[in-house]
Amino acid sequence: MTATPSAAIIIRVQGGKPFYEAKFRHDGRQVKRRIGRAWLDRDETRDWRPRRGRVPDGYYDERRAHASAAQMVSDYLAEAADIERIEQEQRSRGTTFRAVAHGYLIWLEDVKGAKPSTLADYRYLLAEPGVPYKRRAGESAGHIMEALGDLCRQGVGEGR
């Protein structure tokens, strides 16, 4: 079991306003997460120093930033473990036609930049059974998904 990473707190400026960010490494990759607005001012040497007074809601001082960063790291690790578990289950179970079809529609729209009419046609063809039509009465028969939706292919993405 690997040790829990510790986060370094860094100050980033966006729109002239300082923010605290947590930076840590997990599985050889650097991860950065924004914590929130920093309760800081610039001094005469342009370095950051804590503002005077109480820290209002929505702002962080260094102590609160460290506590929040530790919570962010533990949340990230829990989420990463869940994602790894789900991916492992999918690898052992295989990928369904339904998952591939949904991924293809997303790729077609975001990467390929297909025309709206093409996307509408493909969504119609790959619709689930019983999905109501958008502009008329009735619902999709979903013949393709009904026949192929739950079929699996083992080893998808493994070069087979």
Side-chain angles (χ1 to χ4, degrees):
M1 177 143 194
T2 61
T4 302
S6 60
I9 303 299
I10 58 173
I11 300 168
R12 305 260 318 215
V13 178
Q14 182 177 5
K17 297 176 180 146
F19 290 87
Y20 281 117
E21 286 188 355
K23 185 165 80 168
F24 59 96
R25 296 192 77 75
H26 178 68
D27 287 342
R29 290 182 297 162
Q30 181 176 331
V31 180
K32 283 193 230 180
R33 294 290 183 265
R34 176 154 298 176
I35 297 171
R37 293 274 313 268
W39 189 245
L40 300 171
D41 275 334
R42 292 232 188 232
D43 62 12
E44 54 279 346
T45 63
R46 304 285 296 152
D47 290 330
W48 293 106
R49 63 171 176 78
R51 284 186 190 179
R52 295 183 64 162
R54 289 188 181 182
V55 180
D57 290 339
Y59 286 82
Y60 292 85
D61 60 359
E62 191 171 353
R63 182 177 51 87
R64 288 181 184 170
H66 278 288
S68 182
Q71 183 63 43
M72 284 181 167
V73 169
S74 64
D75 291 347
Y76 180 87
L77 293 177
E79 184 179 319
D82 287 344
I83 290 171
E84 177 60 33
R85 181 185 51 78
I86 291 167
E87 288 175 351
Q88 180 62 32
E89 288 175 2
Q90 287 177 344
R91 282 192 296 271
S92 66
R93 215 178 41 236
T95 303
T96 63
F97 176 83
R98 179 173 282 109
V100 172
H102 288 292
Y104 174 70
L105 290 173
I106 292 169
W107 174 84
L108 196 63
E109 182 175 11
D110 295 343
V111 177
K112 179 78 169 157
K115 294 180 181 178
S117 59
T118 302
L119 292 170
D121 184 42
Y122 287 13
R123 285 187 184 117
Y124 169 77
L125 290 172
L126 296 173
E128 297 288 337
V131 174
Y133 294 131
K134 286 187 177 181
R135 297 186 184 212
R136 64 174 196 221
E139 54 188 36
S140 167
H143 294 296
I144 294 175
M145 280 300 168
E146 187 174 20
L148 303 175
D150 294 325
L151 289 180
C152 291
R153 179 172 189 267
Q154 295 294 329
V156 172
E158 297 175 5
R160 291 186 196 173

